[in-house]
Amino acid sequence: DLQVVVAFRMLPEVVWNMPRLGTMNLHGSLLPAYRGAAPIQWAIINGEYKTGLTTFLLQHKIDEGHILKQIEIPVLEEDNAGSLHDRMMYAGARLVIGSVDLLHTNHATLVPQDDTRASFAPKIHHDNTNIQWSTPVVKVHNLIRGMSPYPGAWTVLDGKEWKIFQAEIYSEKNAATPGKLRLENKKLIAQALDGEVEILEVQLTGRKKMKTADFINGYQIKNWTLT
């Protein structure tokens, strides 16, 4: 009678239109916001304070079907993509069950999406995970949060790719050369456009993920500018 899909590639019409009630999808945003492959990551990268979950019936275009049910989820300051995903996972399970019940009992009210309010969450790839140190510190911090724990936001240190998985805003009123690294009281500080982040967890190419204190003890930085 009904198919349910979660975080799945687009199905051909012959498949999604097969059951009597069609195919329902759970999406990790408040549609029509953040249509696409990475809604959780982009909500954090863009500094949203809330996101949500949507169940909807599949149609021809990706994430554009009629909405069944939605719930809001707060984005906490300490959230990264992993922690937000895990909270949404449990809430999403309950939302799916409730939405199936609405369809089963013929109490569902299908709401068309307002395309004029649509925004998009494209796939994550190597280029859009690169940290741009010449951007505001809040933007740098949000990219690191949004790319953690996978795949990790990256920069270049001593000619090698260096992933940063955890950081905190250290200052928001400090202007210096973007990408400049410094060591202060055993803290590794990186300069963005208008402030600094303290780097807390890193991974250099060919090495395991580690806390910054362990990295500093085991690696001699040669060039103190990130690119």
Side-chain angles (χ1 to χ4, degrees):
D1 294 308
L2 175 71
Q3 291 180 142
V4 178
V5 294
V6 181
F8 204 70
R9 67 182 183 275
M10 186 61 184
L11 297 169
E13 183 178 0
V14 68
V15 176
W16 61 255
N17 205 27
M18 187 184 303
R20 177 176 61 87
L21 297 174
T23 298
M24 185 183 81
N25 183 40
L26 174 70
H27 187 73
S29 77
L30 294 172
L31 289 172
Y34 294 108
R35 292 171 174 170
I40 297 173
Q41 291 90 338
W42 284 106
I44 293 178
I45 292 168
N46 290 336
E48 303 285 3
Y49 291 100
K50 72 174 182 180
T51 183
L53 293 153
T54 303
T55 49
F56 68 97
L57 292 181
L58 292 189
Q59 292 182 356
H60 291 92
K61 295 183 179 179
I62 293 175
D63 297 335
E64 294 188 22
H66 287 9
I67 292 170
L68 275 161
K69 201 172 174 68
Q70 292 184 314
I71 55 172
E72 289 187 0
I73 304 287
V75 181
L76 307 178
E77 288 185 9
E78 63 270 21
D79 268 331
N80 62 19
S83 62
L84 180 57
H85 167 274
D86 290 350
R87 293 208 322 277
M88 294 174 77
M89 177 173 61
Y90 292 103
R94 294 189 295 270
L95 185 65
V96 165
I97 295 299
S99 300
V100 170
D101 286 342
L102 287 176
L103 290 168
H104 176 61
T105 58
N106 294 317
H107 287 101
T109 300
L110 298 176
V111 179
Q113 295 187 39
D114 181 356
D115 290 341
T116 65
R117 296 174 51 242
S119 58
F120 300 93
K123 288 182 179 180
I124 301 299
H125 52 77
H126 193 255
D127 287 345
N128 59 22
T129 60
N130 179 215
I131 300 170
Q132 302 297 318
W133 296 104
S134 58
T135 58
V137 67
V138 171
K139 188 171 182 178
V140 169
H141 183 231
N142 287 342
L143 178 65
I144 293 168
R145 294 167 60 217
M147 293 296 102
S148 181
Y150 181 83
W154 64 276
T155 185
V156 174
L157 175 69
D158 288 341
K160 300 176 183 177
E161 189 171 302
W162 193 47
K163 291 187 177 181
I164 302 175
F165 291 95
Q166 186 181 0
E168 292 180 352
I169 293 179
Y170 188 74
S171 70
E172 295 186 70
K173 294 181 179 179
N174 182 69
T177 304
K180 193 69 177 177
L181 266 181
R182 64 186 180 89
L183 198 59
E184 182 179 294
N185 297 325
K186 297 186 178 180
K187 295 180 178 181
L188 194 57
I189 312 298
Q191 177 71 45
L193 177 67
D194 58 355
E196 301 167 300
V197 292
E198 179 187 352
I199 299 169
L200 301 173
E201 188 176 35
V202 299
Q203 184 178 25
L204 195 62
T205 300
R207 300 197 177 196
K208 64 180 182 180
K209 188 187 296 186
M210 64 184 73
K211 298 297 182 184
T212 300
D214 297 326
F215 175 78
I216 293 170
N217 289 335
Y219 184 85
Q220 186 67 44
I221 296 174
K222 302 176 185 66
N223 184 349
W224 286 76
T225 300
L226 301 170
T227 58

